[in-house]
Amino acid sequence: MQKIAGKILRTLGYAFQDESLLTRALTHRSVGARHNERLEFLGDALLGMVVAEYLFSQFPDADEGQLTRTRATLVNRESLAEVARGLDLGDLIRLGEGELKSGGWRRDSILANAVEALLGAIYLDGGMDACRNTVLRLLESRLTSIDPDSTRKDAKTALQEFLQSRRRSLPEYKTMDISGPSHQQVFTVSCQVDSLPEPVVANGPTRRKAEQAAARATLQLLNPR
Amino acid sequence: MQKIAGKILRTLGYAFQDESLLTRALTHRSVGARHNERLEFLGDALLGMVVAEYLFSQFPDADEGQLTRTRATLVNRESLAEVARGLDLGDLIRLGEGELKSGGWRRDSILANAVEALLGAIYLDGGMDACRNTVLRLLESRLTSIDPDSTRKDAKTALQEFLQSRRRSLPEYKTMDISGPSHQQVFTVSCQVDSLPEPVVANGPTRRKAEQAAARATLQLLNPR
């Protein structure tokens, strides 16, 4: 463990007083009962708060929507998994047998969760300032390059805001079909709004992407500009 | 404003040093440019963090799912709107003409957002401890009566998690029939999973309840325990 603590000190710049917290943060649930999921819950909330505070103070002219979307680009699973790769965290995470072989989505999610668990552990070990400093250091390169003005609304958000501003009821999405082999599924989704007679149907490789496509097409019908 | 500050002091137990922050927290966007939405963004993150920290420390045996669900019951719009009503916050919020007449959902959302904005303002004015104390005081009666063990997963969530943990594809719900008069409809819904030869069919008074019933029955077939 001391070797790992040394590595974390070099990469995160944080020295744990209680190394059992560090061990726990790096232990996936596949290993046994003393895993990192509770720490991940705590770290996720801390990360959201620290980034919110940073964006709030750094971008006094950004509105709530821009702040929310900017934060979402910083703290999503893919972004945190990249952070974890930058730290070579993958080598330090303790995984059970079954998980060792898994790749792809699982892998990203395990890495991202470990980053959040580490932040929770640092908070418990060293307090808010230590946690805040670690977040800002981990995200430093991303934080310096963000521009809230450039965050575009995704189509579902844009459609929802369009309808709300006109006091119409919200769209209803339905999954109509899921086809294809499990690694290459195609989702068919419909988007129904009160003011159109028929639902708009669209496809995508994930439910979310299919819904975004359906929302985009619906918005275009409602507001062709 | 001083009258409002006095009222907030009595109900929240917090005395603002910078009363312009308080004014801002209580100003809805319908009033003009200096409204409370940025403070709401900040306060939402703070609230999530403080409640996460509280639950983490108070319930050492609760797992991440229980913590997440318990927090969701504490910080949702309805719950925060109730908190706002307990504080008579509605009378203190500055609304534009158009918003004065609106009720229902809008109203709940305006109230809940003002609570979050107040928490953001208190954080900026008095720091983390002041914010934490306010959150814990506002939610006190709720926090003392919660029991993470009692938060049950709804059946659709449980079925989805069961399938995902086994890397199977997600269930597909279809509405097969809607019958009965409009105030007393019966929804018939099917739930199809790859590993069962036939979809499971169930009824309910709403689509959601029918889907929950179908999910529950499907889960029982897959995992009779």
Side-chain angles (χ1 to χ4, degrees):
Chain A
M1 201 62 227
Q2 248 180 333
K3 229 175 98 191
I4 293 185
K7 198 157 177 203
I8 288 290
L9 173 60
R10 282 191 301 279
T11 52
L12 260 72
Y14 182 76
F16 274 88
Q17 291 175 42
D18 177 357
E19 291 188 4
S20 74
L21 278 167
L22 171 59
T23 309
R24 183 123 188 186
L26 296 174
T27 303
H28 184 257
R29 68 171 296 152
S30 55
V31 173
R34 295 184 56 82
H35 57 69
N36 66 4
E37 287 194 350
R38 280 171 47 88
L39 286 173
E40 178 210 331
F41 168 76
L42 184 61
D44 172 76
L46 288 159
L47 176 64
M49 198 282 282
V50 170
V51 173
E53 182 188 23
Y54 175 89
L55 296 175
F56 182 92
S57 68
Q58 290 293 304
F59 300 104
D61 298 325
D63 67 26
E64 188 199 14
Q66 290 173 315
L67 295 173
T68 301
R69 290 190 294 275
T70 305
R71 184 173 60 169
T73 66
L74 290 165
V75 302
N76 60 47
R77 188 175 56 225
E78 290 71 25
S79 163
L80 295 181
E82 259 179 57
V83 166
R85 285 195 195 91
L87 299 172
D88 283 330
L89 213 58
D91 300 338
L92 308 182
I93 297 174
R94 298 166 63 212
L95 287 172
E97 278 296 312
E99 294 296 333
L100 285 172
K101 294 168 211 157
S102 71
W105 182 89
R106 287 291 298 155
R107 190 80 195 155
D108 263 17
S109 134
I110 289 169
L111 287 171
N113 294 350
V115 170
E116 293 180 334
L118 268 176
L119 294 173
I122 289 172
Y123 177 74
L124 295 178
D125 193 65
M128 181 57 92
D129 287 342
C131 176
R132 182 185 292 111
N133 290 340
T134 307
V135 169
L136 298 179
R137 186 172 314 123
L138 287 180
L139 297 179
E140 192 175 15
S141 65
R142 286 170 174 76
L143 290 173
T144 51
S145 65
I146 45 169
D147 172 12
D149 284 336
S150 74
T151 63
R152 252 188 291 138
K153 276 176 217 179
D154 68 282
K156 281 179 72 176
T157 306
L159 175 59
Q160 180 175 331
E161 290 181 5
F162 178 88
L163 294 168
Q164 280 175 340
S165 70
R166 282 153 187 80
R167 317 219 166 196
R168 301 197 200 142
S169 42
L170 295 179
E172 196 179 338
Y173 297 94
K174 275 185 201 155
T175 306
M176 303 179 65
D177 190 49
I178 306 173
S179 62
S182 66
H183 63 284
Q184 214 178 4
Q185 289 189 316
V186 175
F187 291 80
T188 304
V189 158
S190 69
C191 172
Q192 171 79 70
V193 296
D194 285 352
S195 41
L196 293 177
E198 295 283 331
V200 173
V201 176
N203 295 322
T206 65
R207 191 185 312 263
R208 191 184 136 74
K209 286 187 179 165
E211 287 179 353
Q212 292 292 350
R216 206 173 303 119
T218 305
L219 196 54
Q220 203 135 43
L221 286 172
L222 293 173
N223 188 28
R225 251 168 306 181
Chain B
M1 200 63 226
Q2 247 180 333
K3 227 175 98 192
I4 293 185
K7 200 158 176 203
I8 289 290
L9 173 59
R10 280 191 300 279
T11 51
L12 260 72
Y14 182 76
F16 273 88
Q17 291 176 40
D18 176 358
E19 290 188 5
S20 74
L21 278 168
L22 171 59
T23 310
R24 183 122 189 187
L26 295 175
T27 304
H28 185 255
R29 68 171 297 151
S30 55
V31 173
R34 295 184 57 81
H35 57 70
N36 65 4
E37 287 194 350
R38 282 172 45 88
L39 286 173
E40 179 210 332
F41 167 77
L42 184 62
D44 173 74
L46 287 159
L47 176 64
M49 197 283 284
V50 170
V51 173
E53 183 189 21
Y54 175 88
L55 296 175
F56 182 92
S57 68
Q58 289 293 306
F59 299 105
D61 298 324
D63 66 27
E64 188 198 14
Q66 290 174 315
L67 295 172
T68 301
R69 290 190 295 275
T70 305
R71 183 172 62 168
T73 65
L74 290 166
V75 302
N76 60 48
R77 189 174 55 226
E78 289 72 27
S79 162
L80 294 181
E82 256 179 59
V83 166
R85 286 196 193 91
L87 299 172
D88 282 330
L89 212 59
D91 301 337
L92 308 181
I93 297 174
R94 296 166 62 213
L95 288 171
E97 278 297 313
E99 294 296 334
L100 286 173
K101 296 167 207 153
S102 70
W105 183 88
R106 289 289 300 154
R107 191 82 194 152
D108 262 16
S109 133
I110 289 170
L111 288 171
N113 293 351
V115 170
E116 292 179 335
L118 268 175
L119 294 173
I122 289 172
Y123 177 74
L124 295 178
D125 193 67
M128 181 57 91
D129 287 343
C131 176
R132 182 185 292 111
N133 290 341
T134 308
V135 170
L136 298 181
R137 186 172 314 124
L138 287 180
L139 297 180
E140 192 175 16
S141 64
R142 287 171 174 76
L143 291 173
T144 50
S145 65
I146 45 169
D147 173 10
D149 283 336
S150 75
T151 65
R152 250 186 293 141
K153 273 176 219 177
D154 69 283
K156 281 177 73 175
T157 306
L159 175 60
Q160 181 175 328
E161 290 181 5
F162 178 86
L163 293 168
Q164 280 175 339
S165 70
R166 281 154 188 80
R167 318 216 170 192
R168 302 199 198 141
S169 43
L170 296 180
E172 196 179 340
Y173 298 93
K174 278 187 193 146
T175 305
M176 303 179 68
D177 189 50
I178 307 174
S179 62
S182 66
H183 61 283
Q184 215 178 2
Q185 288 189 314
V186 176
F187 291 80
T188 305
V189 157
S190 70
C191 172
Q192 171 79 69
V193 296
D194 285 354
S195 41
L196 293 177
E198 297 282 330
V200 173
V201 176
N203 296 322
T206 65
R207 190 187 315 265
R208 193 183 134 74
K209 285 189 180 163
E211 287 180 354
Q212 292 291 351
R216 206 173 303 120
T218 304
L219 195 54
Q220 203 135 44
L221 284 171
L222 294 172
N223 189 26
R225 249 168 305 181

